[in-house]
Structure formats: C-alpha cells, structure tokens
Amino acid sequence: MPWADVLVCPLRVVERFRDLHPEEVADLFKTTQRVADVVETQFQGSSLTIAIQDGPEAGQTVKHVHVHVLPRRAGDFERNDSIYDELQKHDREDEDTPAQWRTEEQMASEASTLRKCFN
C-alpha cells in the first residue's frame, strides 16, 4: 500500500500554530482525534504518527497550520524516525520519486471512503 497521510486543517487559514485561538486549538485536536481513529482503522494501522510541522525550520512547506495523521504498522520504515524525513519531503514539488505517493484518483477514492465514516 502506498504511504498514507491524512491532513486535518482548521477552517481559518493561519500560518503558525500559535496564531490559532484557544477554541480553534481545541476543535483542531478534537477533530484530529476523531479522524485518527477512523484513519487507523481504515488503513489497517496498529499505531499512528500525529505531527505538526510549525514553521519552515520544522519542515513546514505549506503556510497553513495542518496536522498530519499517519497510520503506522510494524516495519513500515526501516528506521522508525524516517517518517519525519518523509514528512519533510512530502509537499516538495521537486520530489524525484513521485511513484511512492498516491495518485489523485487513489486519494479521491480514499476521501470518498473516509467521508462515509463521518456522516
């Protein structure tokens, strides 16, 4: 299975986590918790990596706060912390190995499936 990465974003576009209002932080994390439960189940994970890259030195390439929710399985990366290397490369347009990312069609199908879990 290609590597899965589901993003949870606040409705109001802000660049940094510190720019969110307290009620937006609470909503973001309540939503992340709900999404994480569905993602782990739907992608047959046994664990999750939940991450925010807050600022360019942290690997943030999209100037909008977002939480990465990644289902994990034993042995999915040779070195467990390699997940953070992949996150840093994820949004780069110059990535030279796009075959490891899901296609637009795959992501649309996944979104359709996931959407049903929240209705």
Side-chain angles (χ1 to χ4, degrees):
M1 176 191 91
W3 187 59
D5 181 10
V6 175
L7 301 182
V8 179
C9 306
L11 292 175
R12 187 169 67 92
V13 176
V14 297
E15 185 172 339
R16 299 290 305 277
F17 183 76
R18 66 176 174 238
D19 298 329
L20 292 170
H21 300 303
E23 60 275 5
E24 292 171 315
V25 172
D27 185 55
L28 179 62
F29 279 97
K30 285 192 296 187
T31 303
T32 298
Q33 185 179 44
R34 187 170 171 213
V35 168
D37 184 49
V38 169
V39 165
E40 185 173 358
T41 300
Q42 290 296 311
F43 289 101
Q44 294 87 43
S46 56
S47 297
L48 294 161
T49 292
I50 298 172
I52 297 175
Q53 295 165 288
D54 191 35
E57 290 73 32
Q60 181 183 19
T61 58
V62 176
K63 293 184 178 188
H64 180 189
V65 171
H66 56 282
V67 180
H68 292 264
V69 180
L70 305 119
R72 301 294 305 274
R73 295 185 201 128
D76 56 1
F77 286 91
E78 185 176 324
R79 193 177 128 277
N80 191 50
D81 281 351
S82 292
I83 188 74
Y84 301 108
D85 299 329
E86 292 300 318
L87 275 174
Q88 191 162 3
K89 294 189 306 188
H90 187 265
D91 294 328
R92 289 181 32 201
E93 291 182 16
D94 63 343
E95 179 59 40
D96 59 358
T97 55
Q100 67 184 347
W101 306 119
R102 298 177 326 258
T103 66
E104 293 291 328
E105 293 79 18
Q106 287 171 312
M107 289 187 286
S109 175
E110 291 166 3
S112 178
T113 299
L114 292 173
R115 189 174 293 112
K116 294 173 190 170
C117 297
F118 296 101
N119 291 332

